[in-house]
Amino acid sequence: MNRKPSILYAEDDETLAFLTVDNLVQHNYDVHHFSNGNDCINAFHSSEFDLCILDVMLPGIDGFAIAAEIRKLNHEIPILFLS
């Protein structure tokens, strides 16, 4: 059985997050949305993702710091900044 591609999505704007998650789910992605940087990093440590979509300005840890932490753990996962 094929699994859906998994996306880690960090965005604190509720409206933008709702629209983005809804569209990605409709296109058969498994989306894990987080509204702050701390939760996002914790999720990356405990789950496997195929793509990261990060907002730059987030509460807690910003998107650039999240990307730096992700790169310490995984050099190949694609990271997109949506800001």
Side-chain angles (χ1 to χ4, degrees):
M1 182 181 219
N2 292 336
R3 72 173 182 85
K4 296 178 183 180
S6 183
I7 297 174
L8 180 139
Y9 177 46
E11 173 60 63
D12 61 330
D13 181 302
E14 291 181 30
T15 303
L16 178 59
F18 175 81
L19 293 170
T20 304
V21 169
D22 188 52
N23 267 299
L24 290 168
V25 168
Q26 286 181 26
H27 286 88
N28 209 32
Y29 291 96
D30 184 19
V31 182
H32 301 262
H33 169 245
F34 303 93
S35 59
N36 71 69
N38 295 317
D39 290 345
C40 187
I41 293 226
N42 290 335
F44 193 84
H45 282 280
S46 63
S47 299
E48 187 174 318
F49 299 97
D50 300 298
L51 171 69
C52 299
I53 302 174
L54 307 175
D55 184 16
V56 174
M57 300 295 293
L58 290 166
I61 302 170
D62 69 36
F64 294 126
I66 294 168
E69 181 69 23
I70 287 169
R71 281 289 171 250
K72 289 179 188 175
L73 303 170
N74 185 323
H75 297 286
E76 297 187 19
I77 189 167
I79 299 174
L80 297 174
F81 287 101
L82 181 64
S83 188

